[in-house]
Amino acid sequence: MIATCNPDDLYRYTRTAAALLGPDALNETHIADYHHDGFLAVENVLAPDEVAGAKQALDDLIHGRIPGYKDLQPEPEVKDRWATMTADERADSVRKVWQFVEHEARLSALTTHPVLQNILQRLVGEEVRLIQDMALLKPPFIGTEKPWHQDMAYFGWSPPEKIIGVWIALDPATAQNGCMHVLPGTHREGPVPHVHARDCQIPDARVQVERDVIVPLAPGGVLFFSALLHHGTPPNKSSERRWALQYHYAGESAMQITRTEHAALYQEDDRYAGCRGAGGTPLKELNE
Ligand SMILES: O=C(O)CCC(=O)C(=O)O
């Protein structure tokens, strides 16, 4: 049995990250800050029309206007009612939209946005390629927590230093509606074991919550963050929606790894402690 905490006790609101006002402000000091802190927040990366286009694209996916697309995950609160809900009711009940770039041209185009790509190459130190696309939507009142985790616990790519997350605010992301929280510097401490509790996550008892820094962003603002950075988002108990896109990229020198190789990063007590499939499998039973 894994001990879990009330999510209210797992987040602090006393320290706020300083975001750059825009991509033009980025200099070598900020790049060094990214490597030291594990994240960099930049406002005004996307223009208002690009944000509007991305929101319309998500709305089209949710309303079933994009033929062939169906990878929507409802919030747990509405799961039992989902089949009988109208498209409009669903629009404010979706937890997760993912694997959409092959279906949606506007969201696909954003992945190669020149400003994003320029920042990514400067942070990673080489050309990057997309390895994951998804969006957690945090609907008003029922948007659930994404517990503290490292994205690297989910990814079959290595080395971690060449994997980077890009989290794009499409609505104002605030302390009230579940903006991103990060623990600066934790990416320098390496992989930490994850468990399957409320999600695949860092065990609540191991979250160093006193290091919490919140990252509020305006629409079009972007958080760039290391795949090893501890991060999470609390539930949205407010009346304000919080849509955000999340893309992940791997540097051109990064390679795909097997689950056995992943277990070399994520293991505890001779058991697998990552998020790629069931946790807790004895290492000697991993065979891929
Ligand atoms: O958008 C969120 O609420 C959190 C997303 C996130 O950290 C993740 O999916 O890895």
Side-chain angles (χ1 to χ4, degrees):
M1 182 75 176
I2 294 156
T4 60
C5 297
N6 180 338
D8 289 345
D9 299 331
L10 288 166
Y11 300 90
R12 298 281 184 273
Y13 297 84
T14 47
R15 291 197 293 158
T16 303
L20 299 192
L21 288 181
D24 292 345
L26 182 65
N27 62 32
E28 292 306 312
T29 304
H30 302 126
I31 294 171
D33 289 345
Y34 168 80
H35 290 293
H36 185 265
D37 296 334
F39 71 96
L40 182 72
V42 187
E43 295 283 17
N44 297 303
V45 175
L46 297 194
D49 64 315
E50 292 169 327
V51 171
K55 289 173 89 166
Q56 186 59 56
L58 281 176
D59 197 60
D60 288 346
L61 289 168
I62 294 168
H63 279 84
R65 298 182 198 116
I66 308 294
Y69 181 77
K70 53 181 177 6
D71 285 327
L72 299 176
Q73 187 188 99
E75 284 289 350
E77 173 96 11
V78 301
K79 225 170 179 173
D80 295 343
R81 291 185 285 126
W82 182 251
T84 60
M85 289 169 84
T86 65
D88 280 345
E89 286 169 338
R90 286 181 174 187
D92 260 340
S93 307
V94 175
R95 169 171 166 76
K96 180 172 164 183
V97 187
W98 81 107
Q99 296 176 347
F100 43 69
V101 292
E102 283 175 16
H103 298 267
E104 218 303 316
R106 290 160 291 189
L107 298 178
S108 174
L110 275 187
T111 68
T112 54
H113 190 288
V115 179
L116 271 185
Q117 285 288 329
N118 177 275
I119 299 174
L120 284 167
Q121 283 169 27
R122 291 170 73 187
L123 296 178
V124 178
E126 60 189 33
E127 300 267 340
V128 296
R129 66 202 124 146
L130 186 76
I131 59 166
Q132 179 177 269
D133 59 288
M134 61 173 282
L136 290 191
L137 301 185
K138 289 263 195 234
F141 304 117
I142 60 168
T144 41
E145 179 200 18
K146 176 69 187 171
W148 292 97
H149 64 286
Q150 295 174 309
D151 288 334
M152 191 63 207
Y154 291 83
F155 289 149
W157 289 82
S158 194
E161 300 71 42
K162 295 291 177 191
I163 318 295
I164 185 167
V166 171
W167 191 92
I168 307 173
L170 298 179
D171 292 317
T174 67
Q176 291 73 34
N177 70 4
C179 71
M180 195 70 97
H181 289 235
V182 299
L183 304 185
T186 42
H187 66 303
R188 286 185 272 114
E189 294 157 23
V192 299
H194 281 52
V195 294
H196 291 262
R198 292 186 299 292
D199 202 333
C200 189
Q201 59 176 96
I202 296 170
D204 289 344
R206 293 186 175 179
V207 174
Q208 300 170 55
V209 66
E210 65 286 351
R211 292 167 75 172
D212 188 349
V213 167
I214 65 169
V215 192
L217 285 169
V222 176
L223 172 68
F224 298 87
F225 61 107
S226 155
L228 286 173
L229 186 72
H230 300 200
H231 65 285
T233 59
N236 182 5
K237 295 181 183 166
S238 81
S239 57
E240 303 300 321
R241 198 180 69 177
R242 195 234 65 188
W243 279 12
L245 291 170
Q246 187 172 240
Y247 296 133
H248 276 90
Y249 296 84
E252 62 185 354
S253 65
M255 311 274 280
Q256 282 190 281
I257 55 172
T258 64
R259 196 152 167 253
T260 306
E261 288 164 335
H262 196 243
L265 302 171
Y266 287 95
Q267 61 171 276
E268 189 162 57
D269 298 334
D270 292 330
R271 290 175 183 271
Y272 178 63
C275 303
R276 298 181 63 204
T281 309
L283 295 180
K284 58 179 182 310
E285 288 176 22
L286 291 176
N287 53 12
E288 28 131 356

